[in-house]
Amino acid sequence: TFAASTDRVTVGKTTYDAFKVAFRDHKTGDDRVEIDYWFVQGIGMVKQRVRAKNHEILLELEKVEKK
């Protein structure tokens, strides 16, 4: 199941108003998977979190270079 919402997310020292997309399967225990994405207007994806079994993978934007 996918859900979308607005959210405030902190990446590094910066807090953004973001659009969050969350995926949840409806399995239990070790088979459960959760994936969250945060997108910021004018930047793109700034954070991704994946949880599966006993593992969590977190990807975060390191810097934004303005032209």
Side-chain angles (χ1 to χ4, degrees):
T1 302
F2 286 91
S5 62
T6 56
D7 193 19
R8 291 187 57 79
V9 62
T10 300
V11 178
K13 296 180 181 180
T14 306
T15 300
Y16 298 100
D17 289 320
F19 179 75
K20 180 181 177 184
V21 177
F23 168 78
R24 302 289 183 268
D25 65 14
H26 293 287
K27 297 178 182 177
T28 59
D30 285 347
D31 293 329
R32 183 171 176 83
V33 175
E34 299 178 0
I35 305 171
D36 298 308
Y37 302 93
W38 288 264
F39 298 92
V40 174
Q41 188 173 357
I43 297 175
M45 188 178 77
V46 297
K47 186 173 182 176
Q48 177 188 41
R49 179 176 58 211
V50 178
R51 292 180 183 164
K53 298 195 179 196
N54 293 324
H55 304 286
E56 179 174 286
I57 299 168
L58 185 64
L59 301 174
E60 292 185 334
L61 180 71
E62 290 186 356
K63 66 180 178 178
V64 176
E65 293 182 4
K66 299 196 180 198
K67 294 180 179 184

